Amino acid sequence: MDASNTEYFEKQRINKYIAALIILFVGIIPISSFAFLFYILYSRFETSAFTKEITKFYLSSFVVFLLSFFVIYLFLSLKLEFGVNSKGIVFRFFPFHRKFRFIPFSEIKNYTIRKYNPIFEYGGWGIRYSVKRNGVAYIISGKYGLQLELVSNKKLLIGVKSPRQVLEFLKMFSPEKYVEN
């Protein structure tokens, strides 16, 4: 490993196919169904454009559009940023964490890189709590993560894209806390 390269940093984003499915189901289907319903219900009648019923329909359509837009924005802006440097580990699960969370090596009891199953161990992706008492997980994609056990006996799993590189950097800065699984 190159001595001049003393930091590791990675960004993970949601899979583009999952993002396309989210846009389809959360955005296109509800909005197009409202447009189709509007066409079916109100296009064949000789009614004013601002009756009480049509105004409620416009308002509910607007609310569905805003909620769809918000959910799409939320999923498309999700990113997990993770880094290792000589002082410790930093991570952030944007947009839920605005600032980076820092864990110094002095607060880490031990660490390991392990393969995990996000659905069976944590119930899915995102910020999750383990059903198998593996602590809190920050997962966007992949199947490998950095499992930390803190001095306070809390467990934390952070999903990583490059497990070998992360392990090399962690061993370079804190080799005595590594536990092989």
Side-chain angles (χ1 to χ4, degrees):
M1 175 165 302
D2 188 10
S4 65
N5 194 4
T6 59
E7 288 187 354
Y8 174 79
F9 191 78
E10 72 179 29
K11 286 184 186 179
Q12 296 178 40
R13 290 198 159 273
I14 196 164
N15 185 323
K16 63 183 174 181
Y17 298 114
I18 294 172
L21 285 173
I22 290 167
I23 290 170
L24 178 69
F25 287 109
V26 175
I28 295 172
I29 291 176
I31 292 170
S32 60
S33 65
F34 263 95
F36 181 71
L37 183 63
F38 179 76
Y39 174 75
I40 295 295
L41 292 178
Y42 299 111
S43 67
R44 300 170 195 223
F45 300 109
E46 298 288 330
T47 58
S48 170
F50 293 105
T51 63
K52 192 174 188 178
E53 293 80 23
I54 293 178
T55 305
K56 287 180 184 177
F57 183 80
Y58 287 149
L59 184 60
S60 63
S61 299
F62 183 70
V63 169
V64 166
F65 176 75
L66 283 179
L67 286 174
S68 296
F69 180 75
F70 175 73
V71 170
I72 289 170
Y73 170 75
L74 182 70
F75 275 99
L76 293 181
S77 67
L78 280 177
K79 66 181 169 185
L80 177 62
E81 298 172 291
F82 170 77
V84 178
N85 60 30
S86 61
K87 296 177 182 150
I89 295 168
V90 294
F91 69 96
R92 166 170 87 159
F93 198 86
F94 186 82
F96 301 107
H97 298 154
R98 293 277 184 205
K99 297 179 181 178
F100 279 91
R101 309 265 169 121
F102 175 67
I103 303 172
F105 286 121
S106 62
E107 290 184 18
I108 298 173
K109 187 188 294 184
N110 58 51
Y111 64 86
T112 188
I113 298 288
R114 72 177 184 90
K115 191 174 184 177
Y116 65 92
N117 188 324
I119 293 176
F120 292 121
E121 289 184 48
Y122 295 98
W125 294 267
I127 301 173
R128 309 300 294 200
Y129 298 94
S130 173
V131 294
K132 293 186 174 185
R133 301 190 193 272
N134 288 332
V136 179
Y138 298 91
I139 307 167
I140 282 197
S141 63
K143 55 187 173 182
Y144 288 97
L146 170 63
Q147 179 77 56
L148 301 172
E149 186 175 350
L150 304 178
V151 174
S152 63
N153 289 328
K154 292 182 180 178
K155 292 183 179 181
L156 180 73
L157 180 103
I158 303 170
V160 294
K161 279 194 299 191
S162 306
R164 287 190 178 145
Q165 284 183 317
V166 171
L167 189 58
E168 285 179 22
F169 274 90
L170 286 169
K171 282 183 174 180
M172 183 170 66
F173 297 124
S174 182
E176 71 280 358
K177 296 182 181 186
Y178 174 65
V179 175
E180 203 160 335
N181 50 323

